[in-house]
Amino acid sequence: MTEQIIQRPALPKKPFNPTSVWLSGWLALIWLIIVDLELSFETLLYGVQDIFEYFSRYSRPNFDDLSRYVELLGQTLATALWGSTLAIVVAALLAPFAARNLSPNAVTYRIARELLNFMRAMPDLLLALIFVAALGLGPLPGALALGVHTAGFLGKFFAESLERVDNGIYEAVTATGASRVQLVMYAGWPSIQREALGYMLYIFDRNVRMAAVLGLVGAGGIGLALHDTLRMFNYDQSAALIVVILVTILTIDYLSTWLRGKLN
């Protein structure tokens, strides 16, 4: 009697998992960066005690000059507001040209897109340094830096939102004989109003944080006072300024989150 050879079915091949490949590549890249930059975690561990000792110098905030800090804070908030307003105006003007379905032609679309990319690629600090060198110290360079940089982000957000509007809405308004400007005003912006308001609140929230930082390079406001106290090693006053900045940022962040929740 011949023995029957039973062949077991071949096991199915495991599906290719690109996640593991990306993760392995990412870890390898991180390791190469650590080696190339000579990042020493041993030095960090040894320096922890010094770090805590340095932070302990800010443990006694001095609020004797609180009225001046509040005045400087108001200047910082005004800088953020003006920068955000400039960004909204510039973004609103460029966004229809940067939207593929609203731009008059491909050349205009590409020019508007690259202009937004350029503004977005220029860091706030670099722009602030350029404007401070050109215009002098004060809030104006900070407002211009914030306006130019964040206009790139807002313009991109607005343009992509306008592209997502249902074409039927545009076609319905076009059928009435509306011009291109009327198409944007009566079909585009009303369709993305809630989304656009959320973006604008986010940009203002972000600009308040950056306005304080830009003061460190001479753009006025509470950041400039913080830079002066740090340079003079007045840790008590620096701590008070940091507390004022943190409380303000947290308050604005809470209000911004609450308003965005109301819009949704």
Side-chain angles (χ1 to χ4, degrees), residues 189-252:
W189 291 120
S191 300
I192 66 168
Q193 181 178 6
R194 181 171 297 182
E195 191 174 359
L197 287 174
Y199 287 140
M200 288 187 285
L201 286 173
Y202 166 76
I203 287 297
F204 176 68
D205 183 14
R206 182 255 181 206
N207 281 348
V208 170
R209 304 166 192 264
M210 283 306 302
V213 176
L214 295 184
L216 298 176
V217 296
I222 199 169
L224 181 59
L226 179 60
H227 175 264
D228 293 338
T229 56
L230 289 173
R231 188 176 57 183
M232 299 301 295
F233 306 106
N234 294 327
Y235 299 110
D236 295 348
Q237 294 181 7
S238 298
L241 288 166
I242 292 172
V243 170
V244 171
I245 293 172
L246 286 177
V247 170
T248 303
I249 289 176
L250 290 175
T251 302
I252 292 177

Side-chain angles (χ1 to χ4, degrees), residues 11-30:
L11 295 175
K13 294 182 179 180
K14 293 183 178 180
F16 174 71
N17 186 6
T19 304
S20 59
V21 177
W22 283 107
L23 181 59
S24 301
W26 177 259
L27 293 176
L29 178 62
I30 293 296

Side-chain angles (χ1 to χ4, degrees), residues 13 32 56 82 121 131 151 173 182 187:
K13 294 182 179 180
L32 289 175
S56 67
W82 275 106
F131 287 128
V173 176
Q182 291 172 327

Side-chain angles (χ1 to χ4, degrees), residues 102-129:
L102 293 176
S103 188
N105 51 64
V107 175
T108 303
Y109 168 78
R110 182 48 53 192
I111 292 174
R113 278 283 179 171
E114 294 304 326
L115 184 57
L116 292 175
N117 290 337
F118 173 77
M119 291 189 291
R120 195 166 60 252
M122 294 292 288
D124 306 78
L125 286 173
L126 177 59
L127 288 170
L129 287 171

